[in-house]
Amino acid sequence: MKKISITLAVLLAAVATSSTAFAKEKVYKIATDAAYAPFSFKIDGAYTGIDVDVLAAIAKTEGFKYELTPMNFNGIIPGIVSGQLDGAIAGMTITKKRAKVLDFSNGYYESGVVPVVKADSKIATKADLKDQRFAVKKGTTSADWANSNRKELNATIRYFDDSASMFQEVINGNADVAFEDYPVIAYKISLDKTPVLKLAGDKLTSAQFGFGVKKGQNAELISKFNDGLAKIKADGTYEKILNKYQ
Ligand code: ASN
């Protein structure tokens, strides 16, 4: 009997150890843009949006845990590279430059950069962007576009931490043109009763948003994301999410 109870005690200890290990299941720290409607934004103290919902749905299907970390976009890629973040779903465009330091999932949303001007502005085409004052958000592909075309267009550039401050600069008349991803500005304009901003011409670029992790470090999370994305597309969840934010 004594022997049996000792064996039982050893067994119970083993079970306890393994369940402790189970309780310490990896919780991925995943960043999102703190203010980027309709992809991630705060309503009544809670984060919502396409990125927030897509991540939640994929994590549920694939059975992984995460902690959402909303922040300014500019800190996200450095945060992943330094290992403080495990990944990001942040309306983040897949680019060759970023792919040098990040691994991306399959694209989950079609986007591209567009010029944005005040509703009463005469700027209407790419040619009109000459000699103008640009406002851009730090660390974005919009900032990259403005930077690479600055000389040719004889433009000046001012940098902002978030999209709202960038748009405000145009609304206040301190900048002539802001650059933003098409779905973000289209959503903003669609919500305004009397739009204060408008698009000035077509998309200047065309690209996909992707989920990103540190290059070579997190293949497992990328494949879970891709698997989950395929499943939520197949079962209609993805479309339901998009319809919530039309
Ligand atoms: N769309 C931006 C980019 O990919 C990111 C953002 O503003 N959230 O650069």
Side-chain angles (χ1 to χ4, degrees), residues 33 35-41 50-51 90-93 109-114 116 137 142 162-164 166-167 179-192 197 199 203 209 245:
D33 191 322
Y36 209 51
F39 295 94
S40 50
F41 55 113
I50 296 171
D51 285 356
M92 180 163 65
T93 305
Y109 202 97
E110 167 82 35
S111 190
V113 171
V114 281
V116 182
K137 186 164 104 185
S142 298
D162 53 69
S163 294
M166 170 185 75
F167 289 137
F179 294 86
E180 182 56 281
D181 279 84
Y182 177 79
V184 172
I185 184 62
Y187 183 75
K188 182 175 168 54
I189 291 173
S190 77
L191 293 181
D192 288 346
L197 296 170
L199 304 183
K203 278 200 238 173
F209 286 163
Y245 303 99

Side-chain angles (χ1 to χ4, degrees), residues 6 14 23 29 50 56 58-60 97-98 107 113 120 138 161 165 178 180 195 204 226 237 244-245:
I6 289 170
K29 201 165 177 190
I50 296 171
I58 289 177
K60 194 175 166 203
K97 188 173 130 197
R98 290 175 178 166
V113 171
D120 59 2
K138 289 177 193 166
D161 284 327
S165 323
E180 182 56 281
L204 302 163
N226 284 336
T237 305
K244 257 174 86 178
Y245 303 99

